[in-house]
Amino acid sequence: MANDRVTIWTLDWVPDGPRGFVRDIRLRWACEEAGIPYRIATVSFDGRETNHLDRQPFGQVPMLEDGAIRLFESGAGLIHLGGKSDILMPADERGRAETIQWIFAGLNSLEMVTMPWVVLQWSKEDVPTISGWLDNRLAQMESVLADREWLVADRFTLADLVIADVLRVDLVRKHGDRPASEAYVARITSRPAFRKAYADQMTHFEEADETRKEDDNG
Amino acid sequence: MANDRVTIWTLDWVPDGPRGFVRDIRLRWACEEAGIPYRIATVSFDGRETNHLDRQPFGQVPMLEDGAIRLFESGAGLIHLGGKSDILMPADERGRAETIQWIFAGLNSLEMVTMPWVVLQWSKEDVPTISGWLDNRLAQMESVLADREWLVADRFTLADLVIADVLRVDLVRKHGDRPASEAYVARITSRPAFRKAYADQMTHFEEADETRKEDDNG
């Protein structure tokens, strides 16, 4: 029954650049890890700044829908999915709290630095204040990853999903020599659930290419 | 009994600039709202980049300690405190999920833009890519706040605590004309629990001035 599934909202199409990195992948990946059934729904790429502000005040994706619950922010969606399966998030208080801690570490301490830096790289701007901040944070994360295989509970959790997803961005991955981080990203993104989520996102946008081509020809 | 209290870790001293904005205030404020007993503990400002990496891999504060649970990341600390009191976070699944959603909106979508912009302002760098991003996000948040008094459950929650704490930064508050955001920040920060937390943080650092003076004289 369709109602048993969660719905992950993403864009109907994006250009080549962001493919494989649109954040619906975080929710797809979590569902694949835990075997949570889901379906994909879309909002239009054209007009995305304003066409779904009633559901997402910043005009971004993804959104997650689960019965009466509608959430934006991938971090919030992940914690919601984590509550459905201890494959994603340990059920004990400490394991749960530490998983949430690393989700915030990824999305606030780490991505707060990587994302502005990446945006500035795209626009070919060199801003030493930001790149110095990046180097510092990536070095700190390298130290953490040099010491352990998993971030929480000696096994894969949403903590690894988020940290690996932030670190796997091409420009970040190629920046500097950080062997522990590179090995970690390679290992976490070789998980079948990530590969499935990634392939499905690529297919989703490739299929949209066909539709757009037909529209152009029509 | 001391064991009944949570412990909020902050720095022993900071210069004037960050006073009133060190992130332990988020945890102090939440405890004050909910009547959760807490004590303050400190790590040294001098050497902060490396003196507590075993507890906080980025050398930041705050940390939260509650029995066997030790957390860094203010967002994770807030969700942990929210689990102790529905004054902070509604106990129903939807209210809880929406509160968490806005905590992430504050710390990822919003603070990811305000913080790099503020850091660049400090170093007197004008980076149009970042300031354009800021203007866009603040305008989006202004639209949200024009429509409602509270973000979740028609009452104060951690959602308001986080969004107001991100928006109340002086440089952000003075940037542009955003009457709904300004009224919101003024209203939320006039709450007795915020004023108590703010006054206590100021006193904490002022007392440390005395100690440092004595050290200099000794």
Side-chain angles (χ1 to χ4, degrees):
Chain A
M1 239 176 67
N3 287 345
D4 292 326
R5 292 187 288 179
V6 301
T7 302
I8 298 169
W9 289 80
T10 185
L11 292 163
D12 63 346
W13 178 86
V14 297
D16 282 347
R19 289 186 190 190
F21 293 91
V22 180
R23 288 180 177 189
D24 65 76
I25 201 169
R26 294 177 179 170
L27 303 181
R28 287 175 184 265
W29 182 2
C31 286
E32 293 291 342
E33 291 279 357
I36 297 169
Y38 63 98
R39 70 179 195 98
I40 299 294
T42 59
V43 290
S44 171
F45 174 81
D46 300 319
R48 65 197 175 284
E49 295 86 356
T50 54
N51 67 10
H52 62 295
L53 290 181
D54 54 330
R55 305 184 203 197
Q56 216 295 355
F58 309 111
Q60 299 175 304
V61 295
M63 288 89 72
L64 179 70
E65 210 175 314
D66 182 15
I69 292 179
R70 288 178 168 216
L71 294 177
F72 59 89
E73 293 294 334
S74 60
L78 289 174
I79 291 177
H80 179 74
L81 294 173
K84 292 168 123 34
S85 166
D86 63 10
I87 292 174
L88 299 174
M89 186 160 72
D92 68 288
E93 192 183 20
R94 183 173 163 182
R96 186 175 161 280
E98 290 183 1
T99 304
I100 291 173
Q101 163 192 277
W102 279 106
I103 294 174
F104 279 103
L107 300 187
N108 192 257
S109 292
L110 210 54
E111 197 174 44
M112 181 193 285
V113 189
T114 60
M115 182 66 88
W117 178 80
V118 166
V119 168
L120 291 169
Q121 293 286 113
W122 287 338
S123 61
K124 314 274 183 211
E125 287 170 273
D126 180 36
V127 181
T129 304
I130 301 289
S131 53
W133 196 13
L134 177 86
D135 290 342
N136 186 38
R137 273 291 192 285
L138 293 180
Q140 290 165 327
M141 203 61 222
E142 174 73 5
S143 296
V144 171
L145 295 172
D147 278 347
R148 50 177 133 178
E149 195 174 359
W150 308 103
L151 291 169
V152 176
D154 291 323
R155 64 168 175 90
F156 177 85
T157 64
L158 291 176
D160 300 299
L161 186 155
V162 169
I163 296 293
D165 195 60
V166 172
L167 292 179
R168 79 181 170 89
V169 172
D170 293 331
L171 285 166
V172 173
R173 202 166 168 178
K174 286 174 197 157
H175 182 72
D177 185 31
R178 296 171 290 109
S181 300
E182 177 53 30
Y184 175 81
V185 168
R187 184 164 54 82
I188 303 292
T189 59
S190 71
R191 296 177 67 82
F194 172 79
R195 295 167 70 159
K196 170 83 162 61
Y198 185 90
D200 286 353
Q201 182 179 102
M202 295 303 281
T203 303
H204 170 79
F205 292 127
E206 279 158 21
E207 285 174 357
D209 284 337
E210 295 306 311
T211 313
R212 284 176 87 92
K213 239 179 268 172
E214 284 162 26
D215 287 353
D216 287 349
N217 294 337
Chain B
M1 237 177 70
N3 287 347
D4 293 326
R5 291 188 287 178
V6 301
T7 301
I8 299 170
W9 289 82
T10 185
L11 293 163
D12 63 346
W13 178 86
V14 296
D16 282 347
R19 291 188 188 188
F21 293 91
V22 180
R23 287 179 176 189
D24 66 74
I25 201 168
R26 293 176 179 170
L27 303 182
R28 288 176 184 264
W29 181 3
C31 286
E32 293 291 343
E33 292 280 356
I36 297 169
Y38 63 99
R39 70 180 194 97
I40 299 295
T42 60
V43 289
S44 172
F45 174 80
D46 300 320
R48 65 196 175 284
E49 295 86 357
T50 53
N51 67 10
H52 63 293
L53 290 180
D54 54 330
R55 306 184 201 196
Q56 216 295 354
F58 309 111
Q60 299 175 305
V61 296
M63 288 88 73
L64 179 70
E65 211 175 313
D66 183 13
I69 293 179
R70 289 178 167 216
L71 294 176
F72 58 90
E73 292 294 334
S74 61
L78 289 173
I79 291 176
H80 179 74
L81 294 173
K84 293 169 124 28
S85 166
D86 64 9
I87 291 174
L88 299 174
M89 187 160 71
D92 68 286
E93 192 183 20
R94 181 173 165 184
R96 187 175 160 279
E98 290 183 1
T99 303
I100 292 173
Q101 162 191 277
W102 280 105
I103 294 175
F104 279 104
L107 300 188
N108 192 256
S109 292
L110 210 54
E111 198 174 44
M112 181 192 287
V113 190
T114 60
M115 181 67 89
W117 178 79
V118 166
V119 168
L120 291 170
Q121 292 287 113
W122 288 338
S123 60
K124 314 275 181 208
E125 287 171 273
D126 181 36
V127 181
T129 304
I130 302 289
S131 54
W133 197 13
L134 177 85
D135 290 342
N136 187 38
R137 275 289 192 284
L138 292 180
Q140 290 165 326
M141 202 61 222
E142 174 73 5
S143 295
V144 172
L145 295 172
D147 278 348
R148 49 177 133 177
E149 195 174 359
W150 309 103
L151 292 168
V152 177
D154 291 322
R155 64 167 174 91
F156 178 85
T157 64
L158 291 176
D160 300 299
L161 186 156
V162 169
I163 296 293
D165 196 61
V166 172
L167 292 179
R168 79 182 171 88
V169 172
D170 293 331
L171 285 166
V172 173
R173 202 167 167 178
K174 285 175 196 155
H175 182 73
D177 185 31
R178 295 169 290 110
S181 301
E182 177 53 29
Y184 176 80
V185 168
R187 184 165 54 81
I188 304 293
T189 58
S190 71
R191 295 176 68 81
F194 172 79
R195 295 168 70 160
K196 171 83 162 62
Y198 185 89
D200 286 354
Q201 181 178 104
M202 295 303 281
T203 303
H204 170 79
F205 292 126
E206 279 158 22
E207 285 174 358
D209 284 337
E210 296 305 312
T211 313
R212 282 176 87 92
K213 240 179 267 170
E214 283 162 25
D215 287 353
D216 287 350
N217 293 337

